């Protein structure tokens, strides 16, 4: 049998949230609610949607390999220089690109655990060795916790803030203390996929400012979450131009499709959609927290658009029961969070339906 390379032989493939149509087919359901992949329950910015429709006339052409228009628009939006930006096929694509560019066989790469599982998988794909640092009580971590695992083989350290799947965040002071101590020949990846939800939280780090004093950092952000463009696959990195130039050597030239580039330009101009999304997320997060309190379930304080809740039961069973009743969430059994469910904060109606169904399921178990 032809087998995957040695570093991948024990790897588990990524476990994505199941698609709505699949669950309808499998369970004969007419209505299914997906609260599994932290997408925006309000959908897509209307301006971005119009941009995609306009782009349809141009899809026989290859996309701009340098994403010129988007680069200009995003650098103005972020108040940075165009050469500080690198674009990817989602931040997933950038995680892969970072591993492809900077990791070789035998190198080590440190990450909190549990965290976003694609760090580990891509490190393994590059032939390097993932080094897991467990979260305290499986809930929170400080980047400082990573320092003790550094060896002379360490090339890349992953920080996920807020962390997925737990939803908690670390603070500016913790990040500063870590950056002061970490050697500057190690690349630090700060994954801020949920930045727009978290940046208003007290003490959330201003990583963008930090870039001015550190040349070994890349911040990852995405258009998949608050901007509602998960289906188009577009994310970006903000970094020192020297790191961006290294990444360019391994980047597939047409990695970001033309509709994605044009939709992203429109999405950053739609501040009204972002504000509405934030407001709705805040209200429905409160609703879910109150419902969990009332049910006597503990949950991890979240700075994101999802909550990890401890069901006190076998997470796989609860997950499967919810699935058969039309609610797709993520079970802690695939996330390294035994007993927990990770639930995306949906619309009010979706959250109410989820709570009602969860109560029914837990009553029966
Ligand atoms: C922490 C984190 N990083 C990266 C990603 C990947 O996002 P994208 O859709 O930009 O590839 C996700 C998606 O859920 C995430 O939670």
């Amino acid at each position: 049998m032809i087998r995957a390379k040695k570093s991948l032989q024990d790897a588990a493939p990524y476990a994505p949230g199941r698609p709505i149509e699949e669950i309808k087919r499998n369970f004969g359901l007419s209505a299914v609610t997906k609260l599994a992949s932290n997408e925006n329950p309000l959908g897509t910015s209307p301006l971005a949607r119009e941009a995609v429709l306009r782009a349809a006339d141009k899809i026989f052409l290859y996309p701009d390999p340098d994403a010129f228009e988007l680069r200009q628009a995003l650098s103005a939006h972020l108040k940075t220089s165009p050469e500080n930006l690198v674009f990817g096929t989602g931040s997933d694509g950038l995680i892969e690109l970072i591993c492809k560019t900077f990791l070789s066989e035998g190198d080590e790469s440190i990450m909190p655990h549990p965290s976003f599982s694609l760090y580990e998988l891509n490190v393994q794909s590059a032939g390097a060795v993932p080094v897991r640092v467990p979260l305290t009580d499986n809930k929170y971590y400080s980047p400082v916790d990573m320092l003790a695992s550094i060896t002379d083989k360490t090339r890349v350290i992953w920080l996920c803030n807020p962390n997925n799947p737990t939803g908690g965040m670390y603070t500016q002071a913790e990040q500063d203390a870590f950056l002061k101590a970490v050697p500057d020949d190690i690349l630090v990846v700060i994954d801020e996929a949920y930045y727009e939800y978290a940046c208003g939280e007290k003490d959330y780090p201003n990583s963008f400012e930090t870039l001015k004093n550190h040349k070994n950092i890349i911040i990852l952000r995405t258009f998949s979450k608050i901007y509602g463009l998960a289906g188009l696959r577009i994310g970006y990195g903000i970094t020192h131009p020297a790191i961006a130039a290294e990444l360019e050597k391994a980047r597939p030239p047409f990695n970001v499709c033309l509709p994605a580039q044009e939709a992203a330009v429109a999405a950053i101009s739609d501040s009204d959609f972002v504000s509405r999304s934030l407001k709705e997320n805040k209200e429905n997060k409160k609703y879910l927290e109150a419902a969990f309190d009332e049910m006597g379930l503990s949950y991890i304080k979240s700075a994101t658009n999802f909550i990890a809740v401890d069901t006190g039961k076998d997470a796989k069973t609860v997950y499967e029961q919810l699935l058969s009743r039309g609610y797709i969430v993520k079970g802690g059994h695939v996330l390294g969070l035994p007993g927990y469910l990770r639930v995306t904060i949906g619309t009010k109606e979706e959250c109410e339906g989820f709570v009602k169904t969860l109560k029914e399921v837990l009553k029966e178990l």
Side-chain angles (χ1 to χ4, degrees), residues 248-269:
E248 277 304 306
K249 296 177 182 172
R251 184 179 68 83
F254 304 112
N255 59 339
V256 179
C257 75
L258 187 144
Q261 293 186 23
E262 301 203 351
V265 172
I268 50 180
S269 74

Side-chain angles (χ1 to χ4, degrees), residues 14 37-38 89-93 95 116 119 160 162 164 191 193-194 221-225 230 233-235:
Y14 183 67
S37 303
N38 311 332
T89 315
S91 24
D92 288 355
I95 294 166
F116 189 52
Y119 310 142
C160 187
N164 177 6
D191 184 346
Y194 301 93
R221 303 227 180 121
T222 182
F223 284 98
S224 298
K225 305 299 175 188
R233 314 304 303 122
I234 173 162

Side-chain angles (χ1 to χ4, degrees), residues 173-345:
E174 290 169 315
Q175 185 163 293
D176 289 347
F178 164 78
L179 288 173
K180 217 169 152 188
V182 76
D184 58 13
D185 60 349
I186 294 177
L187 179 67
V188 176
V189 184
I190 307 177
D191 184 346
E192 296 186 344
Y194 301 93
Y195 169 80
E196 294 80 5
Y197 294 101
C199 63
E201 300 278 344
K202 187 171 172 295
D203 295 330
Y204 183 73
N206 185 340
S207 303
F208 188 71
E209 275 301 304
T210 310
L211 272 182
K212 294 184 182 149
N213 302 320
H214 298 272
K215 296 194 169 113
N216 58 329
I217 297 177
I218 179 164
I219 303 167
L220 301 186
R221 303 227 180 121
T222 182
F223 284 98
S224 298
K225 305 299 175 188
I226 208 153
Y227 292 111
L229 297 177
L232 283 179
R233 314 304 303 122
I234 173 162
Y236 61 96
I238 320 168
T239 187
H240 191 272
I243 293 180
E246 291 302 292
L247 289 166
E248 277 304 306
K249 296 177 182 172
R251 184 179 68 83
F254 304 112
N255 59 339
V256 179
C257 75
L258 187 144
Q261 293 186 23
E262 301 203 351
V265 172
I268 50 180
S269 74
D270 198 347
S271 53
D272 174 54
F273 179 75
V274 171
S275 311
R276 275 194 292 126
S277 303
L278 268 179
K279 184 168 173 283
E280 178 111 348
N281 186 66
K282 204 170 167 185
E283 286 167 7
N284 297 336
K285 191 197 291 182
K286 268 202 188 126
Y287 166 80
L288 282 179
E289 287 173 346
F292 296 149
D293 284 340
E294 189 211 305
M295 292 164 77
L297 300 179
S298 64
Y299 51 85
I300 302 173
K301 185 89 191 122
S302 169
T304 66
N305 66 340
F306 62 85
I307 304 191
V309 58
D310 188 353
T311 64
K313 310 268 183 202
D314 175 55
K316 185 164 182 278
T317 311
V318 182
Y319 160 79
E320 284 168 355
Q321 282 298 319
L322 285 166
L323 211 55
S324 68
R325 295 164 205 225
Y327 283 88
I328 316 174
V329 297
K330 271 271 182 100
H333 59 295
V334 293
L335 298 170
L337 273 184
Y340 278 79
L341 296 178
R342 193 198 68 192
V343 190
T344 302
I345 298 163

